[in-house]
Amino acid sequence: MAVLPIITAPDPRLKLVARPVDKVDGKLRRLMDDMLVTMYGSIGIGLAAPQVGVSQRIIVVDVARDGEHPRPMR
């Protein structure tokens, strides 16, 4: 798994309309795993694919509180 670079405002890529996901395959699962690693490394609770330069409607979230086991959602 890899930590991905996070794009921040005012980068114009963040204003593009993201494409819907047609199917979830191994490549997409790897992206979501990389997004989770990136999110945890940035001390966030959510990360959208456009924030890592992928213009697709993908989001990963973990709202576990401090001291709780991670509960990632993708």
Side-chain angles (χ1 to χ4, degrees):
M1 289 186 266
V3 175
L4 305 170
I6 296 176
I7 297 169
T8 58
D11 192 300
R13 292 175 288 178
L14 296 174
K15 295 202 180 238
L16 298 175
V17 176
R19 299 179 317 277
V21 173
D22 293 328
K23 71 175 186 170
V24 178
D25 57 12
K27 182 178 177 182
L28 188 60
R29 283 187 179 90
R30 280 188 299 280
L31 171 63
M32 290 187 288
D33 288 343
D34 289 346
M35 289 173 60
L36 281 170
V37 169
T38 302
M39 180 190 74
Y40 290 135
S42 299
I43 315 191
I45 63 167
L47 186 67
Q51 291 175 282
V52 293
V54 178
S55 189
Q56 282 191 288
R57 295 177 190 169
I58 304 166
I59 187 168
V60 296
V61 177
D62 189 339
V63 293
R65 296 181 184 267
D66 285 339
E68 292 182 345
H69 292 288
R71 293 181 287 165
M73 294 177 266
R74 36 186 156 194

